Amino acid sequence: MIIRMAYDARIVIDLDVPGPVINRHLYGHFSEHLGRCIYGGFYVGEDSPLPNEGGIRTDVVEALRRLNIPNLRWPGGCFADEYHWTDGIGPKDQRPVMVNTHWGNVEENNHFGTHEFMALCELLGADPYVNGNVGSGTVKEMSDWVEYLTRDGDSPMVRLRKANGREEPWRVPFWGIGNEAWGCGGNMRAEAYADLARQYATFCRDHGDNKLYRIAAGAADGDLEWTEALMKAISCLGCSRTPKKIFQGLSIHYYTVVGPWDHKGSATEFDDEDYYLTLGKAQFIDRIIRGHSAIMDAYDPDRTIGLVLDEWGTWWDVEPGTNPGFLFQQNTLRDALVAGSHFDIFHDHAERLMMANIAQTVNVLQAMILTDDGPDGALVLTPTYHVFEMNKGHQDAHRLPTHIVEGPQARPAGGYQVDLLSASASSKDGRALISLTNVDASNEASIVLDLRGREIRGATGRLLTSGALQDHNTPDGPDQVSPTQWQAVDDHPRGLQVTLPPHSFATVELDLG
């Protein structure tokens, strides 16, 4: 018999002290030509029996629109630095075939290219984030791609775009200058890449009223020297001048990987020790962001350059029987709690962190959506999807000061100190949204929400949990882990009192007076 206990906590939230805006792009997404993310995920082809628009699967689009998806990064990832964009335009039957050497060594027919990606973004209502090729491309190739996409009037690239059926230019706000240049993007030294980033970014022009937010390919994990090399390329230590606006942001990548690279662990078979180690590794992202932010602050004290975490999420062993190069993994309640903890940390860094992109949106790594290869094309929304949906009210809202003043002791796990309770809050348009994550695997939390500074006219709660941390959604059980109305929200002299079950994520929405 499992005996469950409760711990008491108090969280102070200052409703009348709006802080920095939580950029909606912290809820961004990532789609790479990897496994079944593009082909068989987003794109099924115009001849598919599944409902589609121009080959783009409409039920996937509808599900993602419910998240208010703000941006989508494409075509990679590692794939970006072997992708040549001109191979993916023009009549599909005339596009050359290539081999995707990074992911499964499979042939790529280039049927999903620039026009298809831009059509997908238009269907989603999402801003395109195009990642250019530095590793095997040229400055001219990248410059031409920007011109093809965004220039109006007349030019060689404009004429080519019009010949391929698109009269008006697209709006493309985000542009990546290569990917993981320290690894699959070229195995470069930081200083060598920094020079290339300056060169490539210079020739990625602003055409008309399309203003590019150029993102330099930044560090892996805690490599602060890489970040410093990029900052030195546009600024100087301690100087008073504003950094040169050659690029507007720099990226970092951080994955929650708890085992050795050749045995990362199962997505669905794990014990409590594995679980706490996972949450400890996930919460370590706070220290990673703080370190890179501190380096950037030294060269850019006014925070004019954005930090972009354009790859994050859990990374497990692939599901048995699947192609190891396709990175297909299940998604349990554990993954959802990783996402909930990440978002609280992201909100805490809203002054510097401008964008984050979970890896990846469909059928790869910590996906929002899993689709079936079969003729019925079953679609499953993962527990992680529901965290994104429950948290969408934070997008472009003002962060509110949130302090856990009483709560449980951190739990040691594999060298980490795991915070068992996580919270953040924001306000917008007369409403506030509070997010709460009880990481404790066994104990519920009795929490007083000490709400200060504004009248509370009403409160509603939603809860995401399940009987076991290993629970996940399948075509036969699509709602095993899905949100429910949260009834355990009561008035309290200090504001509200809530009872948060073990291993759960919840939101409370307030109507403010």
Side-chain angles (χ1 to χ4, degrees):
M1 182 177 68
I2 298 175
I3 299 176
R4 286 181 170 159
M5 303 177 65
Y7 64 82
D8 293 329
R10 180 163 66 93
I11 302 174
V12 175
I13 302 174
D14 295 313
L15 299 170
D16 60 341
V17 187
V21 170
I22 297 169
N23 197 314
R24 68 184 184 279
H25 292 294
L26 295 182
Y27 288 82
H29 290 259
F30 174 31
S31 58
E32 184 169 9
H33 289 241
L34 193 174
R36 295 176 51 251
C37 182
I38 298 296
Y39 300 104
F42 278 114
Y43 188 78
V44 293
E46 296 177 59
D47 296 332
S48 171
L50 299 175
N52 69 85
E53 185 168 333
I56 297 168
R57 187 168 166 167
T58 52
D59 57 353
V60 170
V61 168
E62 290 164 2
L64 292 173
R65 284 184 66 88
R66 293 195 291 272
L67 302 182
N68 295 346
I69 174 172
N71 70 73
L72 185 63
R73 179 176 178 239
W74 172 85
C78 292
F79 182 81
D81 281 299
E82 65 176 2
Y83 180 68
H84 300 283
W85 69 272
T86 54
D87 292 345
I89 59 173
K92 290 185 175 66
D93 61 359
Q94 297 177 24
R95 298 180 188 180
V97 173
M98 65 173 287
V99 176
N100 188 336
T101 61
H102 286 293
W103 305 119
N105 205 36
V106 295
E107 286 192 350
E108 155 77 50
N109 63 19
N110 278 307
H111 284 190
F112 188 93
T114 296
H115 288 250
E116 290 76 23
F117 174 67
M118 297 306 295
L120 171 60
C121 289
E122 288 176 339
L123 290 171
L124 292 170
D127 285 338
Y129 173 5
V130 176
N131 212 120
N133 179 349
V134 171
S136 68
T138 66
V139 175
K140 183 179 186 302
E141 179 183 26
M142 192 181 294
S143 179
D144 283 350
W145 200 6
V146 173
E147 181 182 324
Y148 182 92
L149 282 161
T150 65
R151 186 174 178 82
D152 203 355
D154 185 42
S155 77
M157 291 300 105
V158 171
R159 289 193 292 274
L160 180 59
R161 184 189 70 231
K162 291 181 177 180
N164 287 324
R166 174 76 182 197
E167 285 290 323
E168 299 299 321
W170 288 284
R171 178 179 172 272
V172 181
F174 302 112
W175 197 273
I177 311 298
N179 170 77
E180 293 188 358
W182 42 264
C184 65
N187 287 307
M188 302 178 200
R189 296 178 302 106
E191 292 77 12
Y193 170 73
D195 287 341
L196 284 177
R198 287 169 57 109
Q199 180 186 9
Y200 274 72
T202 298
F203 292 94
C204 291
R205 308 290 193 187
D206 290 337
H207 294 287
D209 60 0
N210 189 87
K211 306 301 180 185
L212 290 180
Y213 190 93
R214 302 162 188 83
I215 300 168
D221 301 338
D223 185 355
L224 303 184
E225 291 182 359
W226 189 281
T227 292
E228 185 167 24
L230 288 176
M231 294 305 297
K232 282 181 177 179
I234 56 173
S235 189
C236 53
L237 182 63
C239 60
S240 58
R241 63 178 173 83
T242 301
K244 296 176 182 178
K245 292 300 181 70
I246 298 172
F247 47 82
Q248 290 70 45
L250 60 87
S251 71
I252 57 173
H253 291 173
Y254 183 83
Y255 285 97
T256 299
V257 182
V258 297
W261 195 250
D262 58 351
H263 183 62
K264 305 175 190 69
S266 168
T268 57
E269 297 178 6
F270 55 90
D271 57 22
D272 282 1
E273 182 179 351
D274 297 326
Y275 164 70
Y276 283 116
L277 182 59
T278 300
L279 268 294
K281 181 67 184 292
Q283 292 176 2
F284 195 72
I285 186 61
D286 181 58
R287 180 169 173 177
I288 296 293
I289 295 172
R290 288 185 188 280
H292 290 287
S293 296
I295 295 294
M296 296 175 73
D297 285 348
Y299 291 86
D300 176 32
D302 294 330
R303 295 173 178 166
T304 63
I305 305 298
L307 184 60
V308 176
L309 178 64
D310 55 13
E311 292 187 29
W312 69 272
T314 56
W315 194 326
W316 309 114
D317 291 337
V318 300
E319 292 303 301
T322 65
N323 188 322
F326 283 8
L327 306 189
F328 178 80
Q329 65 187 43
Q330 254 299 347
N331 193 299
T332 69
L333 179 59
R334 173 176 64 169
D335 298 278
L337 301 183
V338 167
S341 297
H342 268 69
F343 282 129
D344 289 337
I345 293 167
F346 294 171
H347 299 165
D348 196 39
H349 292 280
E351 294 91 340
R352 176 69 78 177
L353 192 63
M354 294 293 105
M355 182 191 294
N357 302 75
I358 192 164
Q360 294 187 17
T361 310
V362 185
N363 290 330
V364 172
L365 298 176
Q366 192 175 350
M368 304 292 103
I369 294 171
L370 303 178
T371 63
D372 189 40
D373 267 339
D376 61 345
L379 181 149
V380 171
L381 305 179
T382 68
T384 300
Y385 172 96
H386 295 303
V387 174
F388 273 72
E389 189 277 325
M390 293 168 71
N391 253 13
K392 65 184 180 182
H394 289 303
Q395 294 184 23
D396 286 342
H398 287 274
R399 188 186 70 203
L400 297 173
T402 303
H403 304 283
I404 301 175
V405 295
E406 299 171 16
Q409 294 292 319
R411 188 187 193 281
Y416 300 104
Q417 292 293 317
V418 181
D419 292 327
L420 298 179
L421 181 62
S422 176
S424 62
S426 67
S427 65
K428 181 175 64 175
D429 301 331
R431 305 187 73 80
L433 184 65
I434 303 168
S435 296
L436 302 164
T437 304
N438 183 10
V439 169
D440 197 306
S442 305
N443 301 315
E444 68 180 20
S446 178
I447 304 170
V448 172
L449 297 178
D450 192 338
L451 306 174
R452 302 179 178 182
R454 297 282 296 272
E455 175 190 0
I456 308 300
R457 292 176 175 171
T460 57
R462 298 174 73 199
L463 178 68
L464 183 71
T465 190
S466 191
L469 282 160
Q470 296 80 4
D471 286 347
H472 54 279
N473 298 330
T474 66
D476 294 330
D479 299 318
Q480 176 66 40
V481 186
S482 59
T484 59
Q485 293 301 307
W486 190 19
Q487 304 301 328
V489 180
D490 301 304
D491 290 335
H492 185 276
R494 291 182 180 269
L496 295 172
Q497 179 150 8
V498 299
T499 302
L500 194 56
H503 53 255
S504 63
F505 172 80
T507 57
V508 179
E509 186 173 8
L510 307 177
D511 182 10
L512 302 176

